[in-house]
Amino acid sequence: MSDWWDDVAAELQARSEHAPDPWADFVEGATDEHLTDEQRAFLRQLDDQPALGRLTDD
């Protein structure tokens, strides 16, 4: 079974090497005005996700 996972991991790694990097032009210390439209859209998607439910011992 681990060979299958190794094959999956290798395929993902091979495909990700040529994937576009939306943060390639990111400048350290940049503000929102320096983000690309794609970066803003990505961050909006993260912000729009519902919060995870938490189990409590109450």
Side-chain angles (χ1 to χ4, degrees), residues 5-18:
W5 281 113
D6 292 339
D7 291 342
V8 169
E11 185 65 22
L12 289 172
Q13 182 64 34
R15 291 178 182 224
S16 67
E17 287 180 13
H18 302 293

Side-chain angles (χ1 to χ4, degrees), residues 22-23 25-27 29-44:
W23 304 104
D25 295 330
F26 186 72
V27 176
T31 60
D32 186 52
E33 65 193 32
H34 294 99
L35 297 176
T36 65
D37 292 337
E38 291 84 9
Q39 291 168 332
R40 284 189 197 94
F42 175 77
L43 293 174
R44 273 194 304 274

